[in-house]
Amino acid sequence: MLPPLLQAALDCFVEHGYHGTTIRTVAARAKLSVPGLYHHYASKQALLVAIVQFAMKDLLIRSEDAVAEAGSSVEEQFRLLIECLALFHAHRSELAFIAASEIRSLEGESRTAHIKSRDKQQQMVDDIINQGMREGNFDAEHPKDTSRAIVTMCTGIAQWYRRDGELSPEELALRYANIARMTLGVGPGSRRESVFTAPIVGDAPIVVN
């Protein structure tokens, strides 16, 4: 979970946008004085950098765990990685939304580092699809474009997903994994239990049924 001060900044960025948020607004939300806030973070930019770094580090760790839990099967690696992406962007939609939408507000080396992390996440999907193509498990006329489209589909969840909607995050993750697999010529398969159980929120494990 985000530290309370960063959560307060995230809430403000979601409500007002990065440029529409002032340090005074964040301090008030965090129940701190402005000097008290500056004791922890030197600027509004530092708050944004800390938030996007937290988001990308968390997502990359979870993605790596999902691939590791899948074992040697490229189809399982792909399925669990897509489930992970969907779960993250549903459970942590506000965090993921700011990390994606406010990249335009990042400055200098922070922007470069964030793009590098984003590209690393994309490369994980690219590599699995390419391996599946080599092994004959996947079929795609344009593998790189297909990979980019699949990742964009998952990251887009953060823009529209609502907890009170038709699907739970787990149901959505399963549906998106099946859609992604079908784009690579793999049928939706049976509704077996996922082996990816790393929690996205709280302490309870998330299992996709």
Side-chain angles (χ1 to χ4, degrees), residues 39-53:
H39 177 74
H40 298 282
Y41 292 94
S43 65
K44 185 172 69 169
Q45 178 71 193
L47 288 166
L48 178 62
V49 170
I51 288 170
V52 299
Q53 286 179 343

Side-chain angles (χ1 to χ4, degrees), residues 43-115:
S43 65
K44 185 172 69 169
Q45 178 71 193
L47 288 166
L48 178 62
V49 170
I51 288 170
V52 299
Q53 286 179 343
F54 180 96
M56 290 309 303
K57 181 179 179 180
D58 192 27
L59 178 56
L60 285 168
I61 289 173
R62 293 181 185 280
S63 297
E64 290 165 356
D65 287 347
V67 173
E69 290 190 34
S72 60
S73 168
V74 70
E75 287 192 31
E76 279 296 278
Q77 291 175 9
F78 180 75
R79 184 174 71 86
L80 295 188
L81 180 54
I82 299 308
E83 287 181 8
C84 176
L85 286 170
L87 285 168
F88 182 88
H89 286 84
H91 276 293
R92 298 190 168 178
S93 57
E94 292 185 346
L95 179 64
F97 175 73
I98 291 300
S101 65
E102 292 296 353
I103 188 174
R104 60 194 173 186
S105 301
L106 291 170
E107 301 171 358
E109 290 300 317
S110 297
R111 176 183 172 87
T112 301
H114 182 62
I115 291 173

Side-chain angles (χ1 to χ4, degrees), residues 63-199:
S63 297
E64 290 165 356
D65 287 347
V67 173
E69 290 190 34
S72 60
S73 168
V74 70
E75 287 192 31
E76 279 296 278
Q77 291 175 9
F78 180 75
R79 184 174 71 86
L80 295 188
L81 180 54
I82 299 308
E83 287 181 8
C84 176
L85 286 170
L87 285 168
F88 182 88
H89 286 84
H91 276 293
R92 298 190 168 178
S93 57
E94 292 185 346
L95 179 64
F97 175 73
I98 291 300
S101 65
E102 292 296 353
I103 188 174
R104 60 194 173 186
S105 301
L106 291 170
E107 301 171 358
E109 290 300 317
S110 297
R111 176 183 172 87
T112 301
H114 182 62
I115 291 173
K116 184 177 180 180
S117 295
R118 184 192 63 185
D119 291 348
K120 182 178 180 180
Q121 180 70 53
Q122 178 67 60
Q123 191 64 48
M124 290 179 67
V125 181
D126 292 351
D127 290 346
I128 291 173
I129 290 178
N130 289 336
Q131 181 181 347
M133 294 287 290
R134 289 193 297 270
E135 295 178 1
N137 300 89
F138 299 150
D139 180 25
E141 186 174 357
H142 304 289
K144 189 172 184 63
D145 292 333
T146 300
S147 179
R148 187 181 299 112
I150 289 169
V151 171
T152 301
M153 174 181 75
C154 293
T155 59
I157 291 170
Q159 299 181 38
W160 61 264
Y161 183 75
R162 297 292 180 272
R163 292 293 187 87
D164 58 355
E166 174 189 0
L167 299 174
S168 69
E170 294 73 28
E171 291 169 332
L172 181 65
L174 180 61
R175 180 174 294 185
Y176 268 45
N178 285 338
I179 291 171
R181 293 170 70 232
M182 285 188 286
T183 66
L184 296 171
V186 182
S190 61
R191 293 176 61 86
R192 60 189 183 281
E193 181 179 300
S194 169
V195 300
F196 178 52
T197 58

